[in-house]
């Protein structure tokens, strides 16, 4: 569940950067008026933490023992099925 939330937050952050890059319009600053500078910084920090979470998630799942041995396990399972 936390990974889905992180993915949503990072997607929102990416859309904000897209708006900044194309339209020079910062959605977060628009939502948090200049008077709510702290709120915008908190949101940026949360999106950054979500990004770090997703990087760790991808690294863990890419190099997890289950994934590394998946091809060998699949070949073993196939041989086992053929011997039945």
């Amino acid at each position: 569940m936390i990974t889905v939330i992180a993915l949503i937050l990072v997607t929102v952050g990416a859309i904000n950067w897209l708006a900044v890059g194309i339209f020079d319009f910062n959605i977060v600053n628009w939502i948090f008026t200049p008077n709510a500078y702290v709120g915008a910084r908190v949101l940026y920090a949360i999106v950054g933490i979500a990004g770090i979470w997703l990087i760790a998630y991808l690294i863990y799942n890419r190099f997890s023992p289950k994934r590394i041995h998946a091809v060998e396990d699949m070949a073993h399972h196939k041989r086992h099925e053929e011997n039945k």
Side-chain angles (χ1 to χ4, degrees):
M1 182 66 177
I2 192 166
T3 304
V4 173
I5 293 169
L7 187 58
I8 292 168
L9 287 170
V10 169
T11 303
V12 168
I15 292 169
N16 185 53
W17 279 112
L18 177 68
V20 169
I22 294 176
F23 305 112
D24 194 28
F25 179 72
N26 191 326
I27 299 168
V28 174
N29 286 346
W30 176 69
I31 292 171
F32 294 100
T33 60
N35 298 333
Y37 176 71
V38 174
R41 289 195 57 184
V42 168
L43 184 61
Y44 286 134
I46 291 170
V47 170
I49 291 168
I52 291 170
W53 173 268
L54 288 177
I55 290 169
Y57 177 82
L58 289 173
I59 290 170
Y60 174 77
N61 284 315
R62 177 73 176 144
F63 300 112
S64 71
K66 284 194 252 183
R67 184 170 173 89
I68 290 172
H69 300 296
V71 175
E72 296 166 5
D73 292 343
M74 191 168 52
H76 174 72
H77 181 69
K78 187 176 180 180
R79 276 181 284 171
H80 182 68
E81 290 294 320
E82 289 172 355
N83 291 335
K84 280 188 174 180

